[in-house]
Amino acid sequence: MVRTASASVAAGPTLAVVAREAGVSVPTASKVVNGREDVAPETRRRVTEALDRLGYVRRPRFDAAKAPRLVDLVVHSLESSWSGAVLHGVEEAAHDAGLEVVVSAALTRSRVGRPERGWLDKLVARGSSGVLFNLAELSASQYAWLEQHRIPFVMIDPVREPPEGVVSVGAANWQGGLTATEHLLSLGHERVAVIAGDRRTMCSSARVAGYRSALASAGVRHRAEYVRHAGFDESLARRRTLELLDLPEPPTAVFVCSDRMALGVYQALAERGLRVPDDVSVVGFDDLPEARWSSPGLTTVRQPLSEMAATALRSLLRMMDGHRPESTRTELSTRLVERASTAAPRA
């Protein structure tokens, strides 16, 4: 039978054993190990000889100046493919910059999207150099807290319009809504509905504004009953779709302001025995993996989530180095990804 050494033996003698061997106290031995100068030469000699004789292994001293800088990424949820894309972009950019990243979903139960105050206190305790907030809503007091502690931060696709001077990175949502609607109009659809997210959010409002602009440019009448809000919730999008289908003149095409809500639209159409795109064309927004997995594949507007996250981190890095970005708002372009969910309306 092969016997293995115990963990204590494998790790070498403890500092207490060294101190006993040299005839000094443990604090004195610790001073010698850590290079402190307030030790008598003879005492230092005895401790050093004991260290060498017993084979004590000195641990490398922590050098804060050489340690990688730490940044925090606060996401709305760790369960969505959206967060996965953001995390991928941050991780790659952080690796290139030699940064360490702490990821957390620091939310209260009562206010979705708002980080807990206790989490902000932990931020200072762990020595983070900056913060990226993704889909987080901060209160006025939390903005003030970050400013007071001089912690640089950048918002990735903020839910609401951030205060003046706050740096944020997002997508060209208005252009995306315009492009999605123009695509449906180009196929010959005139009864085009939109299922938006929360009417209070920046991205949803901008996408609906793009939708309305496309209709106006094409000379297509805007119908108020064709605009529905589902709060970016899949099940609520299903209900809103059923409401649209119950109208005297139901739409022949639907622009849905997120891919996840588009799945709810698919479900509602299937319940009514309608096929995509034979009966109703559908365009989503985001280009998450769900868009490729759905059947038929979802035509959608791609917003570059990973690129947005990487851009935000690079902006944060410049702020950490004392540089202020030239612009507080950066928008990355969107583009239409055509798949099989859109076609010309039936004659």
Side-chain angles (χ1 to χ4, degrees):
M1 182 178 68
V2 178
R3 299 180 62 184
T4 59
S6 67
S8 59
V9 174
T14 65
L15 197 58
V17 172
V18 172
R20 186 166 59 249
E21 177 75 11
V24 299
S25 66
V26 172
T28 298
S30 177
K31 289 180 181 181
V32 176
V33 169
N34 291 301
R36 294 273 295 274
E37 297 181 358
D38 53 340
V39 180
E42 175 60 23
T43 302
R44 183 182 303 279
R45 181 189 64 78
R46 294 204 317 271
V47 173
T48 300
E49 290 178 352
L51 290 168
D52 294 338
R53 186 164 56 251
L54 296 174
Y56 182 85
V57 179
R58 293 176 173 83
R59 294 187 178 90
R61 295 177 61 190
F62 175 75
D63 188 344
K66 295 181 179 179
R69 283 188 291 182
L70 186 69
V71 297
D72 274 65
L73 169 63
V74 185
V75 297
H76 180 273
S77 168
L78 294 172
E79 299 175 352
S80 67
S81 51
W82 169 290
S83 296
V86 169
L87 181 57
H88 175 72
V90 170
E91 191 276 331
E92 283 199 341
H95 180 269
D96 292 341
L99 297 172
E100 298 289 344
V101 180
V102 174
V103 183
S104 58
L107 308 178
T108 63
R109 294 180 181 273
S110 59
R111 193 67 178 272
V112 175
R114 180 162 295 178
E116 299 172 347
R117 175 56 190 270
W119 175 87
L120 293 172
D121 293 331
K122 293 176 184 177
L123 176 71
V124 172
R126 60 176 164 257
S128 293
S129 300
V131 190
L132 295 172
F133 291 105
N134 177 223
L135 290 178
E137 179 188 355
L138 302 181
S139 66
S141 62
Q142 288 166 336
Y143 278 120
W145 188 95
L146 289 163
E147 292 291 344
Q148 177 186 352
H149 289 79
R150 298 187 177 183
I151 298 174
F153 63 96
V154 176
M155 310 292 288
I156 304 173
D157 196 21
V159 175
R160 310 268 194 275
E161 183 76 35
E164 184 178 356
V166 172
V167 177
S168 66
V169 177
N173 290 295
W174 181 88
Q175 184 64 48
L178 180 82
T179 302
T181 310
E182 286 180 338
H183 170 67
L184 293 170
L185 293 170
S186 70
L187 293 173
H189 293 278
E190 293 187 355
R191 300 191 337 240
V192 182
V194 60
I195 296 182
D198 189 327
R199 67 179 72 243
R200 298 169 299 172
T201 60
M202 289 176 57
C203 63
S204 181
S205 297
R207 292 168 195 175
V208 173
Y211 155 84
R212 287 175 171 162
S213 181
L215 293 179
S217 296
V220 175
R221 179 170 63 93
H222 171 259
R223 306 186 187 204
E225 68 272 21
Y226 276 7
V227 180
R228 306 281 167 151
H229 291 83
F232 295 109
D233 180 82
E234 181 179 337
S235 62
L236 194 53
R238 169 188 161 275
R239 288 165 51 189
R240 296 293 178 259
T241 304
L242 295 175
E243 293 170 2
L244 288 169
L245 295 176
D246 288 335
L247 292 174
E249 279 192 302
T252 61
V254 184
F255 165 42
V256 195
C257 288
S258 81
D259 291 347
R260 287 199 61 83
M261 288 198 299
L263 299 180
V265 174
Y266 271 34
Q267 183 180 352
L269 294 173
E271 290 176 13
R272 292 293 177 89
L274 300 174
R275 293 176 298 174
V276 179
D278 298 351
D279 299 303
V280 180
S281 288
V282 181
V283 176
F285 202 108
D286 288 332
D287 196 27
L288 297 176
E290 293 92 319
R292 299 189 298 273
W293 300 338
S294 60
S295 181
L298 179 66
T299 295
T300 188
V301 176
R302 181 183 185 273
Q303 61 172 332
L305 296 176
S306 294
E307 293 90 334
M308 285 160 53
T311 299
L313 182 61
R314 288 191 287 268
S315 295
L316 180 63
L317 183 59
R318 289 192 292 271
M319 294 169 65
M320 288 160 51
D321 290 336
H323 304 292
R324 191 71 182 172
E326 295 180 1
S327 174
T328 58
R329 174 67 178 177
T330 301
E331 287 193 351
L332 292 128
S333 61
T334 56
R335 65 180 178 87
L336 185 73
V337 179
E338 293 188 48
R339 295 192 176 95
S341 67
T342 55
R346 285 188 171 184

